[in-house]
Every structure is written in C-alpha cells, then in structure tokens.
C-alpha cells in the first residue's frame, strides 16, 4: 500500500498493514532469509476499538500527526480484505506540512506499524521454513500502537505505510531462535563472509550509537 496526498487537500491516507503479502527480507541469518507475513486474523475491529493508536512520522511519537483513542479521534482506521487502511487530515504544524510535502514529492511513500504479539504462542506467531526462507506468520497481535509514515517500509505493498526494515531487523533474529527453535527444521549453516561482514558492521554501528547516548 502507498500513502497518498493529492492537490491542495491535506488528507493523507494509505495502508499501514497489508494481509497475505510477504515483506522485504528483514533478516539474513544462518537459517536463511527471514520474511514476515500478516494474516487477516492478526487484526480485528475489537482491537482497534480498544487501542490508543497514533499516526506519526518514522515511529517518533513526538511527531504525532493524528490519533485514534479507543475508536474515536482524528485518525480513521478501516479494515478491509486488503489490510488496515488509515486516513487523517494533516495538522497545520511543521510536521504536518513536512509530511504533506514529502509524500507529494514521493520521498516518503510507505507506511509502517508498531505492534506486539506473543512469540511463544503458535496461535499468534508461527515460523515456517520454506526452502531457504523462514516465514514469520503473524496470526494475531496483542497490541497496535502506531501507524507511521516511513522512508523505508518493510512491505512495499504498504502505502504511506509496515514496520521499517531497520526496526524489525534489530529484533527478529534473536526472537526467531529463542521463541520457536523447533520451527527451523534444518541445522544452522556456517555464516557466509557477507553475513560476517554485515554482523561486524552492525556491531560497529551499535557501538557508535551507544557512544553518542
């Protein structure tokens, strides 16, 4: 799904979640490439009515653009066969103007969402090996916290909109092996030189980030 803002309108809309579509590769590990797929059962109307959901830029809640608080507010959320659609009028703020400009220029074209799910419950999250690909199938989520306009969406089918690749990659490798190791049917392979190079680069990036905090 992609985000849209047309003409002089300040309305921004898009799909934050798309069902039955695989994400970009989120993690490259010794078991294979890891991708994610959201099933239609993952989100229902009751979850939307019972959640406080913010629309924001790059998952930064300080850059809030709109809000749906327990089913009411300036943010409209709708479920359909494709996924979770959102719509709101950009506020007359610096971030509202920025979001409109970046979307109309095409610099921001995707959406993302922040959620939680019970990794240890196969009825909520299941890891399935398909050849050299590990599919993380999300069947039910326990919390939905934001829909965000992001520069690097994990799902190219989202419109100014799914979790960003960077955010998801930080979590997925450890979660996969810790929560459902039995889902990985083949033994881990020795890491390739490219994987070792990426791991070293990630360690250096984390060390640099920590030194700046």
């Amino acid at each position: 799904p992609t985000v849209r803002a047309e003409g002089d309108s300040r309305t921004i809309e898009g799909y934050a979640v798309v069902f039955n579509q695989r994400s970009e590769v989120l993690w490259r590990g010794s078991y294979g490439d890891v991708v994610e797929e959201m099933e239609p059962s993952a989100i229902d109307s009751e979850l939307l009515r019972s959640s406080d959901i913010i629309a924001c830029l790059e998952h930064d809640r300080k850059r809030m653009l709109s809000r749906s608080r327990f089913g009411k507010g300036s943010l409209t959320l709708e479920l359909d066969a494709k996924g979770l659609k959102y719509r709101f009028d950009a506020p007359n703020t610096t971030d509202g103007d920025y979001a409109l400009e970046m979307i109309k220029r095409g610099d921001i074209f995707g959406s993302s969402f922040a959620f939680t799910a019970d990794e240890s419950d196969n009825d909520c999250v299941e890891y399935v090996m398909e050849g050299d690909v590990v599919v993380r199938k999300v069947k039910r989520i326990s919390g939905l916290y934001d829909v965000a306009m992001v520069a690097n969406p994990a799902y190219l089918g989202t419109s100014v909109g799914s979790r960003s690749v960077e955010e998801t990659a930080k979590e997925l490798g450890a979660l996969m092996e810790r929560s459902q190791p039995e889902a990985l049917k083949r033994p881990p392979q020795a890491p390739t030189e490219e994987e070792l190079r990426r791991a070293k680069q990630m360690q250096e990036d984390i060390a640099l980030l920590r030194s700046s905090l």
Side-chain angles (χ1 to χ4, degrees):
T2 55
V3 68
R4 291 200 307 270
E6 299 177 353
D8 295 330
S9 171
R10 294 187 68 84
T11 299
I12 293 175
E13 63 180 13
Y15 279 86
V17 182
V18 283
F19 298 137
N20 299 320
Q21 177 177 309
R22 291 188 179 180
S23 69
E24 298 297 288
V25 174
L26 302 177
W27 187 269
R28 297 185 187 276
S30 56
Y31 287 102
D33 291 347
V34 180
V35 298
E36 185 178 76
E37 185 176 306
M38 301 292 294
E39 298 192 355
S41 60
I43 302 172
D44 59 23
S45 298
E46 177 57 32
L47 177 68
L48 299 182
R49 285 193 297 269
S50 61
S51 300
D52 185 2
I53 303 166
I54 286 175
C56 56
L57 287 166
E58 299 290 353
H59 297 290
D60 184 346
R61 295 172 70 85
K62 293 179 181 178
R63 305 184 73 184
M64 180 169 62
L65 301 172
S66 187
R67 188 173 197 166
S68 174
R69 184 171 169 79
F70 310 126
K72 297 180 180 180
S74 57
L75 173 63
T76 300
L77 298 165
E78 299 176 355
L79 285 168
D80 59 25
K82 184 175 182 178
L84 176 63
K85 186 176 183 178
Y86 66 88
R87 183 186 304 106
F88 64 92
D89 289 337
N92 293 307
T93 63
T94 300
D95 282 330
D97 293 342
Y98 172 85
L100 280 171
E101 180 67 13
M102 291 299 101
I103 291 165
K104 289 178 179 179
R105 282 161 49 115
D107 295 334
I108 290 179
F109 60 87
S111 303
S112 176
F113 58 103
F115 72 96
T116 52
D118 186 350
E119 294 284 335
S120 63
D121 186 346
N122 281 358
D123 290 333
C124 297
V125 178
E126 182 180 15
Y127 292 94
V128 179
M129 284 293 304
E130 295 186 6
D132 291 333
V133 175
V134 181
V135 183
R136 180 181 189 255
K137 296 190 175 185
V138 181
K139 302 177 180 180
R140 186 170 70 248
I141 70 176
S142 56
L144 179 62
Y145 308 105
D146 73 43
V147 294
M149 283 111 271
V150 296
N152 297 302
Y155 295 78
L156 293 184
T158 64
S159 51
V160 98
S162 285
R163 290 181 305 163
S164 65
V165 174
E166 292 89 345
E167 176 187 315
T168 307
K170 292 176 183 177
E171 308 167 357
L172 222 60
L175 279 174
M176 179 181 67
E177 296 188 14
R178 185 175 69 247
S179 64
Q180 296 184 37
E182 71 283 354
L184 308 175
K185 299 302 183 183
R186 61 188 177 87
Q189 307 297 308
T192 65
E193 289 186 9
E194 175 63 15
E195 288 168 348
L196 289 172
R197 185 191 68 76
R198 289 181 182 224
K200 185 174 185 298
Q201 182 63 54
M202 184 175 291
Q203 289 174 338
E204 292 173 354
D205 291 344
I206 291 172
L208 180 61
L209 178 61
R210 284 177 174 168
S211 68
S212 66
L213 295 178

